[in-house]
Structure formats: C-alpha cells, structure tokens
Amino acid sequence: MENDFVDQVAISRSISHVPPAHFLLKIEAFSSLVENDVENYKSLEFDAGGYKWKLVVYPNGNKNENVKDHISVYLAMVDTSSLGHGWEVYVIFRLFVLDQKKDEFLILQEVFVKETKECTGECLSMMKLTSASNYKHVWKIENFSKLEDRFYESEVFVAGDQKWKILLLPKGLGEAKGSHISMYLELTDSSTITGGSKIYVHFTLRIRNQLLSKHYEKKAGEWLNTSNKFGGWTNFVELNYLNKAGNGFLVNDVCIVEAEMPVLGISKAL
C-alpha cells in the first residue's frame, strides 16, 4: 500500500511554521533505531477522512526498494477489509519533518479530509544497545525427559519495568511437533503499554551447555504490545541434538534455560 503512494505521487518540498493537523510521531534517540538494526517502525493508528492510517518509518531506508543513505517514510492505510474488491482511495497528503534548530517544518506532502479534529501523537523512546541495562533470568528444569506434551512456564521476572516469562513446549508445537523444542518469551503484564503503545525488546533465549561453554541460543528483536505478547521460535532446537549424549545440554536430566534481554524502546501516546 505505502509503496503505491511513492510511485504515483510527485513529491514537492516547502517550509512551514504550522505543525501537522492529524498525527505527530516523536522519536527519541533516533540513532538507536539505526544502531539496533530495526528494519521499520509502525506508528499508532490515527483517524483522518473516515479512514484509519499509520506512519511507517524505515530508519535505514527501505531495502526492498533498494533505498540507501536515506530514511524512508510512508503513509499506510489500516484495516481495508471492509472496502470490498477493487477498492481505491485517492488521498492528498503531506509529511512534516521538524527542523529543531530553526523550529520550522519541512513539508514533503496532509491527508485530505473534510472535517477538522485535534491532532494526536506518539512518542517513541529508544535506547542504544550498548547503554541499555541487560537482564537475565535462569530457569532450571529438572526431570526434563519426563515432561509431558504441553506448555511449561518459568517464574515471572522483571526486565525494563515489565513482567515476563519463558514458555517452553518440550515436544514441540505445530510443524515442529515431535522433532523440535518450541520456546518463546511472553510479555505477561502489558498494563504499562496500554492504548495501542508497544515495546521493543532485543532478547536471547538460550539452553546452557553444562559441560562446555558452547551454549545453544537464538536472538531476535520484537515489537510487543497488548495484542502481540509473544516472541520466539517454534523450531528452537532439534530434540535429537538436545538429547545427544555428551552434548552437555542435559546433565542428570536437568536442562538450564536462560532469557537475556535489554529493553530498548517503548512507544506511548502523547
């Protein structure tokens, strides 16, 4: 959807001291998005012209469009399922970028609307990976081979003012059933990110090698919110590899699982 706008609309530039009328996205520590290799950030939804929209920002440029040395910003339409087959909405819009030194806006194109309403906004606060506090939770699982075919949960732990837990399915889930362990990180208390806000967490899930220092781990960065509370892998590790004698992941039928995570960003409505 957003790519169509770029292809069909010629971009003009102008300067204004009047702020945007519909939505404002403030990103703190913007360079942290680049350094943490966040591919894109999608803003909160906002209403204009009877439709719902969001801004999509690619801090390193949209690689799918071979964009380099630029920031890519798109206006995207949200929830088009009710528009029917062959729908098309023509919009005239402007994107504003604030020059904080001159206190003026560079205008790159305003969603065309008939009504006026109060401008809403969002503030995204990011933190550099090198300066973020790192949290670790260790989960010791005894009698691992005797675990049933169901989900098991670690104790709840706190990281970045949010509550989390590790979910593990020892026999695998879905396509991984019988061949892999499935393991996830869950945001258990989302009360701090209500109202459509979200949190960015860069996390590692790990199974410790109890004989050697070569642990098995996977890493990911996820935007989590009230409707998307899970991050992790259905195919985390093969059961044959985990159970192989001498690999050190199961010692005396004990498996040690760890979650390690800095919380790097949180989005809240202005």
Side-chain angles (χ1 to χ4, degrees):
M1 177 65 186
E2 56 263 27
N3 294 344
D4 293 340
F5 288 128
V6 177
D7 295 338
Q8 297 174 11
V9 179
I11 298 177
S12 63
R13 291 171 171 82
S14 60
I15 300 296
S16 173
H17 292 279
V18 180
H22 295 96
F23 186 77
L24 175 66
L25 174 61
K26 177 182 178 182
I27 302 178
E28 298 178 340
F30 182 87
S31 61
S32 296
L33 283 172
V34 178
E35 295 174 9
N36 294 326
D37 200 27
V38 176
E39 180 182 1
N40 64 67
Y41 179 75
K42 298 178 181 179
S43 75
L44 299 174
E45 297 178 7
F46 62 96
D47 295 318
Y51 299 99
K52 292 184 179 296
W53 313 84
K54 67 173 60 174
L55 293 178
V56 183
V57 180
Y58 290 77
N60 293 293
N62 188 348
K63 296 179 182 178
N64 294 328
E65 297 293 330
N66 296 318
V67 176
K68 298 179 180 179
D69 303 320
H70 286 76
I71 297 169
S72 300
V73 183
Y74 302 102
L75 175 70
M77 205 169 185
V78 180
D79 189 15
T80 59
S81 59
S82 62
L83 297 182
H85 179 71
W87 66 271
E88 183 177 10
V89 176
Y90 178 74
V91 296
I92 301 172
F93 67 96
R94 294 175 182 173
L95 298 177
F96 293 66
V97 180
L98 176 62
D99 185 329
Q100 299 178 61
K101 290 184 178 180
K102 297 180 180 179
D103 194 27
E104 62 186 21
F105 291 89
L106 170 64
I107 302 177
L108 300 175
Q109 289 250 301
E110 197 161 41
V111 179
F112 180 76
V113 292
K114 296 181 179 179
E115 80 282 359
T116 59
K117 62 173 294 184
E118 183 180 355
C119 177
T120 59
E122 173 186 3
C123 179
L124 170 62
S125 300
M126 291 296 299
M127 183 179 297
K128 294 182 179 180
L129 183 59
T130 54
S131 60
S133 298
N134 205 30
Y135 305 88
K136 182 186 290 187
H137 180 74
V138 179
W139 181 19
K140 183 178 180 181
I141 307 173
E142 299 181 343
N143 300 315
F144 189 85
S145 64
K146 297 180 176 61
L147 296 181
E148 300 176 359
D149 184 10
R150 64 177 181 84
F151 272 108
Y152 290 83
E153 301 178 350
S154 73
E155 294 181 346
V156 174
F157 60 96
V158 177
D161 297 326
Q162 279 79 38
K163 294 180 180 179
W164 311 84
K165 62 184 173 184
I166 306 168
L167 299 181
L168 181 138
L169 192 67
K171 309 299 183 182
L173 178 68
E175 63 180 16
K177 196 172 185 64
S179 62
H180 290 72
I181 282 178
S182 302
M183 188 152 60
Y184 310 92
L185 178 72
E186 180 186 3
L187 177 63
T188 61
D189 180 8
S190 55
S191 60
T192 59
I193 54 170
T194 56
S197 300
K198 44 194 172 289
I199 183 170
Y200 182 72
V201 58
H202 190 280
F203 66 95
T204 301
L205 293 180
R206 175 186 302 120
I207 295 180
R208 291 190 63 86
N209 189 315
Q210 300 173 57
L211 301 179
L212 304 171
S213 59
K214 190 176 181 180
H215 310 307
Y216 185 89
E217 63 183 35
K218 288 187 176 181
K219 300 181 179 182
E222 295 281 355
W223 289 103
L224 303 179
N225 55 29
T226 54
S227 59
N228 179 31
K229 300 181 180 181
F230 301 92
W233 296 269
T234 301
N235 300 314
F236 183 76
V237 62
E238 289 188 16
L239 286 169
N240 289 338
Y241 179 70
L242 183 75
N243 293 324
K244 187 176 181 180
N247 273 3
F249 299 114
L250 291 179
V251 176
N252 297 324
D253 209 18
V254 171
C255 181
I256 300 177
V257 173
E258 292 181 351
E260 188 171 351
M261 48 192 293
V263 176
L264 298 176
I266 187 166
S267 155
K268 294 183 178 181
L270 288 174

